[in-house]
Amino acid sequence: MKALLIRPQSRSIEPIEIGRFEDIVKLIGYETIAIDEVDASGDRLFFDEECFLRGSEGRFQIDSLIPVSGNGVVMGAEEDGSGLRDVTLSQEALAARTKFL
């Protein structure tokens, strides 16, 4: 499935492929995953729920969502929570909505 990886340390957003939820955990680096809605199309931001307690490097913010420290993954999720799907946002659209702090 298509996803977008946000790396605040390098201030980059790159397209990636995700096969399963465990791939997200590996990219973020922790199992304490939190999910926040990015838009009504079903795209979600996956990030480390304890990112500020850990002191992860780099921060970013999408629109008015709470700032996140460390890596984040944006991809689609089914409304009923039954699974993941391709991200609908383009890399350019997400970049326009993301601030690196």
Side-chain angles (χ1 to χ4, degrees):
M1 291 165 277
K2 296 177 184 176
L4 296 168
L5 174 62
I6 303 172
R7 294 181 191 254
Q9 303 87 342
S10 60
R11 295 178 170 257
S12 66
I13 299 173
E14 60 189 81
I16 58 170
E17 286 289 325
I18 297 287
R20 53 196 179 124
F21 183 78
E22 288 77 12
D23 296 338
I24 296 172
V25 172
K26 287 179 187 175
L27 288 165
I28 292 172
Y30 300 99
E31 292 186 8
T32 52
I33 302 296
I35 304 169
D36 221 336
E37 184 176 307
V38 174
D39 60 33
S41 71
D43 286 340
R44 306 285 188 260
L45 169 64
F46 296 79
F47 61 97
D48 175 23
E49 183 175 36
E50 298 179 6
C51 61
F52 292 111
L53 297 174
R54 296 183 208 284
S56 300
E57 255 186 72
R59 292 181 359 158
F60 68 92
Q61 182 177 22
I62 301 172
D63 299 330
S64 61
L65 295 178
I66 187 167
V68 173
S69 181
N71 291 345
V73 174
V74 176
M75 70 179 307
E78 298 300 330
E79 291 294 324
D80 63 2
S82 64
L84 302 172
R85 58 177 174 72
D86 287 342
V87 65
T88 59
L89 276 173
S90 69
Q91 182 178 359
E92 295 78 18
L94 182 59
R97 296 172 55 188
T98 303
K99 292 184 284 190
F100 292 101
L101 311 169

